[in-house]
Amino acid sequence: MRIARFLVLSMAMAMACSRVEGGILQLRILEGGREVPARVEVLGADGSAFAASDALVLHLECAAAPLPEWLRGRISGSDRLHNKQTGTEQFYAAGTARLDLPPGRYRIRAFKGIEFRVAHAEVELAPRDEKTVELELERWVDMPSRGWYGVDDHVHITRRTADDDRRIAIWMSAEDLQITNLLQMGTVDQFGVTPQRDFGEAGEFRLGDTLLISGQEHPRTHFLGHTITLGAERPVDLRDTYISYETTFRAALEAGGLPGYAHFGLGPARDGLALDAPRELVHFLEVLQFASPYYDVWYGLLDLGVRIAPTAGTDFPCGPWSVPGAERFYARLGDEFTRRGLLEAVRTGRTFVTNGPLLDLRVGTAGIGEELALSEGGAIAIEGHVLFDPERDDVKRVELIRNGVVVPVVPSVRRGEIRVEWQGEEQESAWWALRVEGDKVGAAPIEPLPSGPIVDFLGPRLMMDATEAVEALTAYHLARGRVRPSLAHTAPIWVRVGKPGGAPRTLAKPRAEEALRRLEDLEQRLSDERIEEARIWDWVPYSDGVSIEHLRRNRAALLRAIEEARLRYREILAPPP
């Protein structure tokens, strides 16, 4: 017993001595002299990371229903996260932070989204030192003053209480996200992952220039892909007709929301889009996510004349590649900084996606998302503008895109700014956009995607059949040598020549034929002879599998939807009047 007491006393004395020998670092993160939230990194000389004692508590729940509140507060939550973009551990501060540190030299960085330069400081702490360091964050651009607001459309964070509201709003403000779409997630069996306390106006929470809104990733299946509903007045949970996305989409539209597709429209979402997009049920598609772009599916829809906005989101924390807002889209809201203003901006295509560079584009008098109507073919003038922070983004290519094809231009380059101009003739309806690619400066390399026999076997069974998406993203990262890309892309500007219509028939015809082949295969897979091929581990909790029995019950509705989509594609293929 005496030995045990001696050991406890010795440990207590050692801990007390270490506290005495350490120092206290107080941080103030400022913008224009006022304290503001930020993401902070404090590293010792050996690269070890430290978090503040008053850091924001982060609950990172994704794969299952959250813990009960009484238990969640005791065993869940973290004061830091590992940021794979920087390769370091960081924490969030509400404007100030206190750290108890051993003596030594420390490097400090404060981050606040895209529009602020990174603030740097170094400090030496001697034993018993108490020092205050102020980090002044400086804007290099102010997009809200230009009517553009940053949005992450895909964040999974449980929000059940008023305390959650405030904590999450401070967290999103630290990333300079003006609007965050917090998604409640479900499957055919449940709708309880990362729940939201309410929806619509009742689900809004505003803290200064930060707005939280509620949405849903539901339905999401291995058969037709993952969907997102943005901004509806109420949740839509129709599990009896879950695989018939049309029922959810129409109910969401009636509730004032906008349905769209997640994850680039890859994998089974290609079938879902072939079914739903031509019937004007889909309003947006995530084309930037997981530190990667994928535009081909989206380009195919544009070539068909389907006016669908590009959006971006991180899938945080389910997608562990980044932090909230690392991939985001900007929506031109003007003075209407509201949920309704966001919905109207997405519905009309006034968006661009980015992980750093900021874009503008004009075709004649039309801006991003707008239409330039010409009674007959003639001359048009195009101007594109790119802004970026050279300390974080090295923009290497600025491409003017017409109907998915690069139009050669000679850029005018200044530090942190690139302009392109083009003048020529437009004789047929087309869509134009601006695309940017380069390298992230000083960022950690892209980590390989998980692989191995267990992952290869379980992955397609527990989640959506993501083989195509994994292969596409892996190929992209390998081609770049795992260097993190700097990326941005505008929504299209539509040029209409003559009567109202879509893109040129030379593009629409092959795209429509491809979609018809996809619908034919989908129809065959619903037949008695092939429906068993869709079997997946639907009995695994929280997987996005759908049972064969559920498919059979909804088969008639799916077949009707296929026929409606066929009629739309045949209209596209019909000879002009």
Side-chain angles (χ1 to χ4, degrees):
M1 180 66 72
R2 290 180 179 177
I3 294 175
R5 287 177 179 172
F6 174 77
L7 290 174
V8 170
L9 181 60
S10 299
M11 291 174 62
M13 291 177 62
M15 292 174 64
C17 290
S18 66
R19 284 197 295 270
V20 170
E21 291 301 315
I24 297 173
L25 176 63
Q26 295 277 1
L27 298 178
R28 297 184 69 218
I29 301 98
L30 307 172
E31 180 200 358
R34 66 183 181 94
E35 293 172 352
V36 294
R39 176 165 36 89
V40 181
E41 175 184 291
V42 178
L43 299 180
D46 62 353
S48 55
F50 298 85
S53 58
D54 52 354
L56 206 65
V57 176
L58 312 178
H59 292 282
L60 308 179
E61 300 156 331
C62 173
L67 296 169
E69 201 64 30
W70 64 270
L71 184 59
R72 181 179 182 231
R74 288 172 171 81
I75 67 173
S76 175
S78 173
D79 61 359
R80 67 188 73 194
L81 60 76
H82 181 73
N83 184 351
K84 293 192 176 183
Q85 183 165 324
T86 60
T88 57
E89 284 193 341
Q90 300 172 333
F91 65 90
Y92 286 93
T96 62
R98 174 194 167 104
L99 295 94
D100 296 287
L101 300 170
R105 189 159 190 84
Y106 296 90
R107 291 175 289 121
I108 308 164
R109 294 194 292 178
F111 303 77
K112 193 176 177 68
I114 287 174
E115 299 176 35
F116 289 84
R117 292 188 173 90
V118 179
H120 301 259
E122 291 194 10
V123 63
E124 183 86 33
L125 273 183
R128 302 185 182 182
D129 260 359
E130 291 191 23
K131 290 188 176 180
T132 297
V133 173
E134 295 185 347
L135 294 105
E136 183 72 33
L137 288 162
E138 177 187 356
R139 276 190 178 275
W140 61 271
V141 68
D142 186 349
M143 294 300 287
S145 70
R146 304 178 183 204
W148 290 92
Y149 292 80
V151 187
D152 189 328
D153 76 346
H154 199 144
V155 175
H156 294 287
I157 301 174
T158 297
R159 183 167 64 117
R160 295 188 290 204
T161 68
D163 287 343
D164 285 341
D165 279 341
R166 182 170 180 80
R167 176 178 53 83
I168 297 168
I170 292 171
W171 185 356
M172 298 303 109
S173 176
E175 296 294 353
D176 196 35
L177 277 167
Q178 282 80 51
I179 304 178
T180 305
N181 188 38
L182 295 164
L183 296 177
Q184 185 165 326
M185 186 162 58
T187 66
V188 71
D189 297 318
Q190 56 79 34
F191 186 38
V193 178
T194 55
Q196 301 302 300
R197 60 171 177 76
D198 216 327
F199 285 73
E201 184 176 352
E204 295 179 18
F205 180 78
R206 189 187 294 262
L207 182 66
D209 296 329
T210 301
L211 176 63
L212 307 180
I213 64 173
S214 298
Q216 65 183 68
E217 188 175 355
H218 187 67
R220 48 190 293 276
T221 71
H222 77 289
F223 199 71
L224 294 177
H226 288 203
T227 72
I228 290 174
T229 294
L230 183 68
E233 288 291 340
R234 56 186 176 273
V236 180
D237 182 20
L238 303 174
R239 285 181 236 166
D240 287 344
T241 57
Y242 196 74
I243 195 63
S244 180
Y245 287 7
E246 176 183 356
T247 59
T248 297
F249 288 172
R250 293 196 185 282
L253 289 166
E254 290 176 4
L258 288 182
Y261 272 78
H263 311 316
F264 316 101
L266 285 173
R270 283 187 184 267
D271 294 334
L273 283 164
L275 196 62
D276 298 323
R279 298 187 296 148
E280 300 180 347
L281 294 173
V282 183
H283 290 265
F284 64 90
L285 175 63
E286 286 181 335
V287 301
L288 178 61
Q289 197 168 66
F290 306 148
S292 308
Y294 196 89
Y295 306 128
D296 290 357
V297 174
W298 177 47
Y299 283 4
L301 296 170
L302 299 182
D303 289 345
L304 286 166
V306 177
R307 301 198 176 191
I308 185 168
T311 65
T314 52
D315 198 9
F316 180 89
C318 305
W321 284 268
S322 55
V323 296
E327 294 95 24
R328 65 182 70 189
F329 73 96
Y330 277 82
R332 183 159 60 84
L333 309 185
D335 296 328
E336 188 64 23
F337 175 38
T338 63
R339 175 176 55 93
R340 288 294 178 195
L342 171 64
L343 293 173
E344 182 63 14
V346 174
R347 187 186 67 79
T348 56
R350 303 194 306 266
T351 67
F352 69 84
V353 301
T354 184
N355 67 358
L358 303 171
L359 308 182
D360 195 16
L361 180 67
R362 296 202 70 81
V363 177
T365 58
I368 294 172
E370 297 176 346
E371 178 182 273
L372 178 66
L374 304 175
S375 58
E376 58 184 19
I380 60 170
I382 299 178
E383 296 179 357
H385 190 201
V386 184
L387 294 173
F388 58 97
D389 179 2
E391 294 182 1
R392 285 191 287 174
D393 291 288
D394 179 14
V395 174
K396 296 181 179 297
R397 287 188 300 280
V398 178
E399 298 172 321
L400 186 61
I401 306 297
R402 178 185 180 275
N403 295 337
V405 177
V406 176
V407 176
V409 290
V410 178
S412 172
V413 181
R414 297 172 56 187
R415 179 172 169 79
E417 182 177 8
I418 300 175
R419 292 183 180 272
V420 295
E421 295 182 354
W422 184 87
Q423 293 185 356
E425 297 282 325
E426 186 60 276
Q427 298 298 329
E428 59 181 357
S429 296
W431 60 267
W432 292 79
L434 195 64
R435 185 173 71 194
V436 163
E437 184 167 355
D439 298 335
K440 283 291 181 184
V441 177
I446 295 284
E447 294 183 6
L449 292 169
S451 61
I454 294 178
V455 172
D456 293 341
F457 180 70
L458 292 180
R461 292 162 175 80
L462 295 178
M463 300 294 288
M464 66 183 289
D465 183 5
T467 303
E468 180 189 25
V470 170
E471 289 177 351
L473 303 188
T474 300
Y476 178 78
H477 293 154
L478 288 174
R480 292 182 51 83
R482 300 203 181 277
V483 176
R484 285 187 180 267
S486 176
L487 302 160
H489 203 306
T490 69
I493 297 175
W494 298 87
V495 177
R496 176 168 58 82
V497 178
K499 296 180 180 180
R505 297 187 58 77
T506 52
L507 291 174
K509 186 175 186 296
R511 296 293 194 180
E513 290 173 343
E514 177 188 354
L516 285 169
R517 288 192 295 271
R518 190 170 289 278
L519 292 178
E520 179 68 24
D521 180 68
L522 182 62
E523 186 176 54
Q524 290 178 9
R525 285 189 284 122
L526 287 167
S527 66
D528 285 333
E529 293 77 18
R530 292 189 58 190
I531 199 167
E532 290 292 329
E533 294 177 13
R535 184 168 298 282
I536 201 168
W537 290 2
D538 55 283
W539 49 268
V540 176
Y542 304 107
S543 78
D544 58 6
V546 174
S547 70
I548 302 302
E549 292 72 25
H550 183 84
L551 283 172
R552 289 185 189 279
R553 287 196 303 271
N554 287 276
R555 178 163 52 184
L558 288 171
L559 292 175
R560 284 195 299 271
I562 288 171
E563 191 54 38
E564 288 178 12
R566 275 203 187 104
L567 291 174
R568 175 67 184 114
Y569 291 120
R570 286 167 181 163
E571 289 173 5
I572 294 171
L573 290 170

